[in-house]
Each structure stands twice: as structure tokens, then as C-alpha cells.
Amino acid sequence: AEPSNATESMLFDLQQRCWSDEILSIFDIPRSVLPPVRQSGEQVGVLMSAAAAATGLKAGTPVFVGGADTQCSLLGAGAVEPDDTAATLGTTTPVQTVVGSAVFDPQSNLWAGCHVVPDRWVLESNAGDTGDAYLWLLELISGGLPREDLCRIGEQLAAGRFGPPTMMFVGPTVFNLMKMNPNRPGGILFPFPTMQVRPDRGTLVRAFMESVGYALRANLEQIAAVTGRAASELTLSGGMSRSAVLTRVIADVIGLPVRVADEPESAALGCAMLIAAHGGQGGLAAAVRAMVRHTQIQPDPERHEQYEGPFAKWRDLYNQLENTDLT
């Protein structure tokens, strides 16, 4: 085991980064049933012949300890120092800030965990179902186009759109562990359609992207409420970070500089960096300098101001829907 995944067992002492003797004692769990804890990136063996035959890999290939997907994604995007904040725009969108010691939300709304980087921890919120919901929407409005064409069509539909606010409540959420309501309604709200105003496919795609930006902003705000420090910039990676329209929308909605990792598959890159740092000079800091690159996006102040009212409305409507049960 290693700290970032062992955290999820509920048997782990985050601060000491080891199994909790107190919890094991309370539940009468013998330490012998738990695996030893190793550091992410540590070599723990080699590939045995039977496994090599099953996988097609070479026997004797070194085997290293990895880490939790989001924390590896943070490393692969270069978020390793305290106050670094990053979101992985994938099937879901975890939003994590790096801290120098374990931080716990007194309201228990957010996750606390260990980073794959030694002596670093994370505090996590989550924007929920993003990439998966986006594909669903594109499949719904595309008329059966092949999946490989969907994201290209989404970019074309959303580019250059900005008009009367259409509010999308399909997928992106504001994380709250203490208030999970799977029966809340979703939907799309737009100005009442008249002969002059009829939302089209581009309006719907743009509204979804804006809902991702609104959800990210709300999740960043609740992280800041716990840490007492607002993020000064946001790092983005993950499959959806390939969208130039979406990353621009996010920068304008949150009003912060955005660093987009040049390698969107940052979790895989983070795993490679753990191994590279194990055998190289300078550790993970050197691996970040050598292997991580970003494209910088500055928010448009005028557009950010234009998003202030729609964000407030989206947040208010989100709260109302969250407190509604369809059953």
C-alpha cells in the first residue's frame, strides 16, 4: 500500500502516514492483515514469470508503487507545492489544493488525503460528473455521429457563443459529503422561447461548459473557506482540458489565471515521474521541472464581470434543486 490510496481505507493515520493503531484497536483488526506501507515511486519487486506470460511483458521488469489517480494527476500537472490548486477535467472533475500538513474540514464536507509527494497532503472538493455528462449531451444532440467526432463538433458549436443566460444542471455539482441527494432533479433552464429567442444546439453546449466553470468556482470557494486562502491560479489537466473553448470559459468564470498542462493524461505522466524521480537526481522537484509544461490563459476582466450575475443565479438555482427530491 501507499499513503494516497491507503487513506481511502478509513484505517489510516493521515498525519503520520501509517496504519492507525487507535482505529485498528477499536475495531480489533490485526495489523498482520494489512500490507506494509511504502512510498509512491518505491521499487517493491520485479515482474514474475507467470505474470510476465499473462501480460506479455518481460520477466524481471521492475515493479514500482504507484498512487491514487487524482494525486498522480496533480503531480503530472505540476501541482506539488503548498497552495498549488488543480482540477482534473476527466469523467469526473476532482478539485484539490496541496497543503503542507493535513487539513480537515470541520463541517466534514470535503475529503482530506495524502499526496503522492512526500510531506504533502491534499484537500479535495469535486465538480462531479463532467466528461461523462458532456459526452452524453453531445451524443444526444449530434444525431448519431461517431464518438471520435463528438468533441470536435462540441468545440464548433460552443465557440463564440455568449448571450442570454441558459442554465444547465446536468452533471457538474458542488461537492458536499454530508448532503448527497441522488434524487435531486436536473434540467436545463433558458429564457422563455419566443419567435426571437429559441435556444439551439450551440447554446446548450456552451451552457454546459459554463456550468463546468460555475461548479469549479463554487468548489474552489468552499476549499478556500476551509484553508483560509483563496487560490491565486488554477492548473487544469485531464481529457476535457484539450478543449480550448472550455478552458477559456473556466478562466473567465473563475477570474483566475489558468495553467493548462500540455500533457492532458497527467495521471499517467505522474506515475512515470514517480519512477523517474526514484532513479534520478533531484527527486520529484527535478522531475516536474523536466517533464511538465503548461499553456497559460489569462481571464478576460470584462467577460469575468459579465459572468458574475449568471454565476450567482446558477448557484442559487443549484441550491434550490439540491434541496428538492423527485421521489
Side-chain angles (χ1 to χ4, degrees):
E2 53 73 45
S4 66
N5 272 307
T7 297
E8 306 299 326
S9 70
M10 307 297 288
L11 304 175
F12 202 69
D13 184 329
L14 271 68
Q15 293 166 310
Q16 301 300 319
R17 300 172 85 95
C18 64
W19 300 116
S20 168
D21 289 329
E22 179 183 4
I23 296 174
L24 297 183
S25 176
I26 290 172
F27 292 100
D28 195 23
I29 298 174
R31 182 179 284 272
S32 60
V33 305
L34 298 172
V37 178
R38 298 287 188 254
Q39 176 58 44
S40 295
E42 181 179 343
Q43 183 177 348
V44 291
V46 297
L47 197 65
M48 306 298 286
S49 57
T55 60
L57 299 173
K58 184 179 179 180
T61 298
V63 176
F64 295 83
V65 179
D69 54 354
T70 303
Q71 283 88 320
C72 285
S73 178
L74 290 185
L75 173 61
V80 296
E81 297 299 333
D83 297 333
D84 285 352
T85 302
T88 305
L89 294 164
T91 302
T92 63
T93 295
V95 186
Q96 293 192 339
T97 192
V98 181
V99 288
S101 59
V103 174
F104 301 94
D105 178 5
Q107 302 300 318
S108 301
N109 294 338
L110 306 179
W111 269 321
C114 296
H115 204 330
V116 291
V117 179
D119 301 319
R120 296 288 185 266
W121 287 258
V122 295
L123 186 67
E124 178 179 339
S125 195
N126 199 300
D129 186 356
T130 47
D132 211 33
Y134 185 51
L135 286 176
W136 167 82
L137 175 66
L138 293 178
E139 288 171 346
L140 197 65
I141 66 176
S142 69
L145 286 174
R147 175 163 285 200
E148 57 268 22
D149 293 332
L150 291 179
C151 292
R152 175 179 54 82
I153 294 299
E155 287 288 277
Q156 293 174 355
L157 289 172
R161 295 302 185 103
F162 189 83
T166 294
M167 300 292 174
M168 185 79 74
F169 300 94
V170 180
T173 57
V174 184
F175 194 60
N176 189 332
L177 276 174
M178 301 302 292
K179 194 176 185 180
M180 308 293 273
N181 179 8
N183 297 312
R184 69 184 185 277
I188 306 168
L189 297 174
F190 44 82
F192 189 83
T194 65
M195 293 180 65
Q196 291 77 32
V197 180
R198 296 187 189 276
D200 58 12
R201 295 186 303 164
T203 300
L204 299 182
V205 175
R206 178 75 180 208
F208 183 88
M209 290 185 175
E210 289 169 345
S211 75
V212 174
Y214 298 150
L216 279 174
R217 178 169 170 176
N219 282 285
L220 288 169
E221 287 177 352
Q222 63 183 20
I223 289 177
V226 174
T227 62
R229 297 182 300 276
S232 59
E233 65 179 4
L234 178 66
T235 300
L236 297 175
S237 63
M240 292 184 77
S241 70
R242 294 184 177 95
S243 168
V245 179
L246 175 60
T247 52
R248 161 53 61 190
V249 167
I250 290 171
D252 291 343
V253 168
I254 67 175
L256 296 175
V258 165
R259 299 192 311 161
V260 182
D262 288 356
E263 174 49 69
E265 300 295 341
S266 56
L269 178 58
C271 288
M273 291 167 66
L274 288 170
I275 297 171
H278 176 80
Q281 299 294 321
L284 288 174
V288 169
R289 290 192 297 272
M291 302 174 73
V292 181
R293 297 290 181 270
H294 300 95
T295 298
Q296 194 88 6
I297 301 175
Q298 294 294 330
D300 182 311
E302 182 178 348
R303 186 55 58 85
H304 175 62
E305 182 64 27
Q306 291 174 322
Y307 272 126
E308 287 294 277
F311 168 68
K313 292 177 182 177
W314 184 91
R315 192 70 175 92
D316 179 59
L317 289 167
Y318 179 90
N319 289 340
Q320 294 183 50
L321 291 172
E322 190 179 42
N323 292 320
T324 303
D325 196 314
L326 286 179
T327 60

